[in-house]
Amino acid sequence: MIPPEVTDDAPPGERAAFDALRDALGTDDWVVFHSLGIGRHITQFEGEADFVVPAPSRGILVIEVKSHLRVQTDDSGRWKLGSDGWTTRSPFHQASGAFHSIREFLRQRSLDFVGYPAGYVVWF
């Protein structure tokens, strides 16, 4: 785990995901980055990936975590997470933006993940 401990101010969902990823069986050779800053984000000035998991010989997974106990969507594609107001910003688009930003960064350095499964998920 990089960093090796979750910060005290981390949302409860990120804390739970951190613990689950840290303690999962069969992951001793994995590296998990938590709160990875993305300086060259493809859709915004800068961004962050809640978790990036490059698992040797398995692939790479970007995880966006939402701690809210209630999630709603409406017919127009808006999202309501917990008691937050309605927004058009989808957690899946957040995860996709982080994933594609990391992929572009690696591709520019001839380190694209061709040949390995790669993707993104949202952990509610």
Side-chain angles (χ1 to χ4, degrees), residues 26-92:
T27 61
D28 293 338
D29 62 340
W30 293 16
V31 174
V32 178
F33 297 97
H34 176 240
S35 294
L36 181 68
I38 301 172
R40 292 183 178 154
H41 198 279
I42 62 170
T43 62
Q44 53 197 40
F45 181 69
E46 62 184 352
E48 179 202 38
D50 291 334
F51 292 93
V52 178
V53 184
S57 301
R58 291 190 170 90
I60 297 176
L61 186 64
V62 174
I63 304 170
E64 173 66 29
V65 177
K66 295 299 177 192
S67 298
H68 306 84
L69 298 176
R70 185 173 180 187
V71 177
Q72 294 175 267
T73 60
D74 67 12
D75 292 340
S76 66
R78 296 183 311 160
W79 289 80
K80 184 169 177 56
L81 304 172
S83 61
D84 294 350
W86 286 97
T87 182
T88 57
R89 189 168 186 204
S90 158
F92 294 96

Side-chain angles (χ1 to χ4, degrees), residues 6-20 34 51 65 67:
V6 67
T7 61
D8 291 337
D9 63 343
E14 286 187 31
R15 184 173 299 281
F18 186 98
D19 292 346
H34 176 240
F51 292 93
V65 177
S67 298

Side-chain angles (χ1 to χ4, degrees), residues 94-107:
Q94 280 182 271
S96 173
F99 170 79
H100 288 289
S101 297
I102 292 166
R103 183 173 186 175
E104 181 60 20
F105 175 85
L106 294 172
R107 189 192 64 74

